[in-house]
């Protein structure tokens, strides 16, 4: 390998070697999600959209329409149909879909995907769709179980000489002391449970429960006796459990049909629906057949009839839906009409387009008319500069950037020329330019320099000559 010596260091460095990991790269702050400012639709109790609410600026018609759909979903009158969001790029379609999911509540399963996700070499297209639909149907299971619950007072693995392997010791059992308000108990548990304890990172002072017949271990939280010593932690503190250590306890667990399918695709034995959950941790993908789905449905129906479980229909969100092809669309029609279907939200920014997988079917949004027929269509509108300015200000606050005077107006102008997304995307590079110039605040000249460095989509398109190339050079 060719080695060059850089003047700054005396050690030879391989020409294209990666730079050594710096201390700061590990301490990188987490990426800021582009929709983190959206908290909901921001509607009043009467369903009227305030000009800005819950992080949403403008777009009042679309927000009110989505509010109606949320009401329909909540009163379970939206089956067999889909919500289709259409509009130009960067007008907030994805943001609207996220807001709808926020409005439905945290416990309602939300399964987002992009149209192109169906194209995989391993799994059939229809299978990907079917799986997404199954993952969007939740099941709330209530079961009374025999458990040992308490605050961990002692955690001692006992090692013994392993007669089979020549070296080392193995854990033969683990002693766990549990304490409740009423008393304490010492349990002698199997080494497999010790593994589960390690996996859940359980330490002395945590409140846990161990299921008596499956041995599943669950960490409830940290005992609040320890609360003062960990002030700055994002930890859930729970009171010392009441009653005996050994008792019957009602457990509520939220799973999705997709989880159940996956868990049962690798048979573990045992008819108990909760014990099936334990196997979720084991990875490996096995084909989920229709037969298996029917079996799971049958078991689920049994549980629902007994009143043990409750079905919670969720939402499937398919972004860039024009990327689906005709096979997927027909399958989608069928899925929409199946007995246990979640709510479907679709989004696209295409106008009239060829339906993928066909050679001559052109239809609005690239969606065949029979599916369009089943859709409630909501259109998103473009933004005025002052609305763009408000969103930019919101994002600047969230990203912790300071804007100098006139910057907001300037970015809003850019946004009107380009798009809302372009305006938002100017923020972070502009802050880097400001940082290079030794300022902590973004000024108008940073935005001006940005325009020299980068192009928005429309400017870039207008630079391309009539022959489709740059300066006569064709791009192919
Ligand atoms: N009305 C609004 N209020 C606040 N933020 C918005 C609004 N509309 C869009 N945004 C923000 O603008 C950015 C672009 O919007 P979004 O990604 O939802 O566009 P889109 O319609 O899905 O575009 P595309 O068709 O390209 O997928 C996002 O960061 C979004 O949160
Ligand atoms: Mg989008």
């Amino acid at each position: 390998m060719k080695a060059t010596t850089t003047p700054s260091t005396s050690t030879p460095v391989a020409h294209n070697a990666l730079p050594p990991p710096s201390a700061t790269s590990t301490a990188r702050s987490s990426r800021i999600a582009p929709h983190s400012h959206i908290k909901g639709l921001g509607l009043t109790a009467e369903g009227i959209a305030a000009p800005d609410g819950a992080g949403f600026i403008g777009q009042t018609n679309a927000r009110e329409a989505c509010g109606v759909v949320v009401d329909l979903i909540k009163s379970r009158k939206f089956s067999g149909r889909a919500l289709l969001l259409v509009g130009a790029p960067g007008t907030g379609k994805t943001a609207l879909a996220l807001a709808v999911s926020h409005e439905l509540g945290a416990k309602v399963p939300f399964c987002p995907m992009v149209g192109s996700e169906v194209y995989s070499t391993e799994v059939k297209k229809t299978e990907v769709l079917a799986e997404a639909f199954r993952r969007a149907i939740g099941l709330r299971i209530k079961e009374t179980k025999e458990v040992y619950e308490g605050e961990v007072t002692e955690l001692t693995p006992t090692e013994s000489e392993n007669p089979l392997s020549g070296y080392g010791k193995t854990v033969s059992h683990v002693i766990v002391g549990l304490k409740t308000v009423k008393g304490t108990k010492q349990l002698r548990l199997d080494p497999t449970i010790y593994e589960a304890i390690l996996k859940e990172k359980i330490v002395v002072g945590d409140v846990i429960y161990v299921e008596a017949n499956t041995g599943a271990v669950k960490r409830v939280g940290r005992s609040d006796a320890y609360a003062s010593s960990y002030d700055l932690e994002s930890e859930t503190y729970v009171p010392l459990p009441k009653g005996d250590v050994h008792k019957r306890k009602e457990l509520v667990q939220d799973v999705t049909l997709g989880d159940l399918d996956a868990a049962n695709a690798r048979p573990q034995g045992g008819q108990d629906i909760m014990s099936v959950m334990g196997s979720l941790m084991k990875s490996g993908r096995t084909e989920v057949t229709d037969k298996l789905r029917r079996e799971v449905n049958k078991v689920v129906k049994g549980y629902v009839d007994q009143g043990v479980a409750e079905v919670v229909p969720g939402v499937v969100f398919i972004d860039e839906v024009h990327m689906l092809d005709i096979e997927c669309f027909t399958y989608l029609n069928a899925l929409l009409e199946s007995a246990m279907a979640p709510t479907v939200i679709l989004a696209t920014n295409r106008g009239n387009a060829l339906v993928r997988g066909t050679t001559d079917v052109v239809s609005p949004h690239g969606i065949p008319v029979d599916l369009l027929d089943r859709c409630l269509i909501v259109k998103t509108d473009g933004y005025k500069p002052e609305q763009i300015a408000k969103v930019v200000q919101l994002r600047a606050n969230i990203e912790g950037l300071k804007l100098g005077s006139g910057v907001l107006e300037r970015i809003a102008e850019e946004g009107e020329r380009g798009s809302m997304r372009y305006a938002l995307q100017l923020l972070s590079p502009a802050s880097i330019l400001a940082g290079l110039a030794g300022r902590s605040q973004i000024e108008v000249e940073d935005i001006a320099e940005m325009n020299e460095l980068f192009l928005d989509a429309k400017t870039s398109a207008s630079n391309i000559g009539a022959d489709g190339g740059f300066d006569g050079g064709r791009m192919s």
Side-chain angles (χ1 to χ4, degrees):
M1 189 183 282
K2 197 174 95 186
T4 56
T5 313
T6 49
S8 57
T9 54
S10 54
T11 45
V13 179
H15 186 57
N16 49 5
L18 286 174
S22 65
T24 49
S25 76
T26 46
R28 190 180 346 208
S29 61
S30 62
R31 200 179 84 102
I32 302 169
H35 301 289
S36 53
H37 59 290
I38 305 285
K39 301 280 183 280
L41 287 169
L43 303 176
T44 62
E46 291 81 42
I48 311 293
D52 43 341
F56 240 111
I57 314 289
Q59 210 61 269
T60 46
N61 279 343
R63 278 160 58 201
E64 283 172 16
C66 286
V68 173
V69 171
V70 168
D71 285 343
L72 284 174
I73 295 171
K74 280 188 175 159
S75 53
R76 308 215 164 167
K77 286 179 188 146
F78 199 66
S79 59
R81 283 191 278 177
L83 170 65
L84 172 62
L85 302 169
V86 300
T91 47
K93 297 179 295 296
T94 309
L96 270 175
L98 282 178
V100 168
S101 92
H102 284 310
E103 293 290 329
L104 289 171
K107 287 284 178 202
V108 176
F110 182 71
C111 177
M113 66 178 284
V114 185
S116 50
E117 266 176 55
V118 299
Y119 303 104
S120 144
T121 50
E122 283 165 5
V123 190
K124 276 184 296 197
K125 291 180 263 192
T126 51
E127 200 55 31
V128 177
L129 282 177
E131 198 186 308
F133 272 59
R134 298 283 285 181
R135 269 190 286 133
I137 298 178
L139 202 60
R140 186 158 303 155
I141 306 160
K142 279 191 233 94
E143 260 187 313
T144 323
K145 289 218 148 183
E146 211 178 300
V147 295
Y148 294 92
E149 186 184 39
E151 178 192 317
V152 179
T153 53
E154 181 190 355
L155 198 60
T156 340
T158 309
E159 290 181 336
S160 68
E161 212 74 53
N162 188 348
L164 296 176
S165 83
Y167 66 99
K169 291 177 174 171
T170 52
V171 175
S172 63
H173 62 269
V174 56
I175 305 280
V176 178
L178 291 177
K179 182 172 87 176
T180 66
V181 176
K182 216 167 163 190
T184 57
K185 199 177 182 89
Q186 221 181 29
L187 308 172
R188 196 186 140 109
L189 301 170
D190 199 65
T192 54
I193 298 183
Y194 185 56
E195 275 170 29
I197 288 176
L198 291 181
K199 215 188 232 167
E200 292 251 336
K201 300 198 175 66
I202 290 164
V203 291
V204 170
D206 290 348
V207 174
I208 66 166
Y209 65 79
V210 183
E211 280 177 30
N213 49 358
T214 61
V217 183
K218 182 103 186 31
R219 182 175 185 274
V220 183
R222 188 134 184 99
S223 171
D224 56 10
Y226 291 78
S228 56
S229 50
Y230 290 98
D231 265 348
L232 288 171
E233 246 182 336
S234 61
E235 178 66 279
T236 42
Y237 290 102
V238 292
L240 198 61
K242 297 188 188 65
D244 288 317
V245 171
H246 186 190
K247 65 181 160 207
R248 297 185 72 77
K249 181 182 165 77
E250 177 159 285
L251 305 174
V252 178
Q253 192 160 354
D254 286 294
V255 296
T256 69
L257 291 187
D259 296 337
L260 290 179
D261 292 346
N264 286 292
R266 327 180 87 239
Q268 293 282 314
Q271 293 303 301
D272 180 85
I273 205 162
M274 294 293 273
S275 65
V276 149
M277 293 305 106
S279 59
L280 274 182
M281 300 305 130
K282 302 201 179 83
S283 58
R285 189 163 182 167
T286 328
E287 180 95 5
V288 177
T289 59
D290 258 346
K291 180 157 178 283
L292 177 78
R293 291 209 175 99
R294 277 199 300 276
E295 289 300 317
V296 170
N297 282 355
K298 219 187 280 169
V299 176
V300 166
K301 192 168 176 298
Y303 277 94
V304 172
D305 289 346
Q306 288 167 31
V308 177
E310 185 193 340
V311 175
V312 188
V315 178
V316 177
F317 171 52
I318 309 180
D319 207 351
E320 319 291 341
V321 67
H322 54 265
M323 285 303 294
L324 295 182
D325 65 8
I326 187 84
E327 290 166 38
C328 296
F329 283 125
T330 49
Y331 192 63
L332 210 52
N333 280 341
L335 279 179
L336 275 178
E337 266 150 43
S338 62
M340 242 200 272
T343 307
V344 180
I345 303 180
L346 312 171
T348 177
N349 54 20
R350 294 296 154 96
N352 280 334
L354 190 71
V355 178
R356 254 185 97 112
T358 65
T359 50
D360 56 345
V361 184
V362 173
S363 80
H365 316 300
I367 300 175
V369 280
D370 49 347
L371 180 57
L372 269 183
D373 232 19
R374 292 174 167 83
C375 291
L376 270 183
I377 304 177
V378 171
K379 183 176 170 298
T380 53
D381 302 318
Y383 293 105
K384 295 199 198 73
E386 47 293 4
Q387 291 173 326
I388 297 178
K390 272 190 188 164
V391 178
V392 169
Q393 183 66 66
L394 255 180
R395 289 301 305 177
N397 292 346
I398 284 195
E399 294 181 24
L401 305 174
K402 281 200 226 91
L403 307 179
S405 69
V407 171
L408 216 50
E409 291 72 24
R410 184 64 203 268
I411 295 186
E413 248 170 59
E414 296 294 330
E416 204 193 11
R417 223 157 35 81
S419 72
M420 167 83 94
R421 184 168 295 125
Y422 180 66
L424 292 177
Q425 278 170 351
L426 282 178
L427 277 177
S428 344
S431 79
I432 291 174
L433 287 185
L436 287 178
R439 277 181 271 110
S440 63
Q441 186 165 296
I442 300 173
E443 298 293 351
V444 179
E445 61 250 41
D446 297 323
I447 308 294
E449 195 178 343
M450 289 286 309
N451 274 339
E452 285 164 28
L453 294 175
F454 302 110
L455 303 175
D456 66 287
K458 283 177 193 159
T459 318
S460 176
S462 68
N463 280 353
I464 298 172
D467 60 344
F470 290 102
D471 301 330
R474 230 180 190 316
M475 302 243 293
S476 56

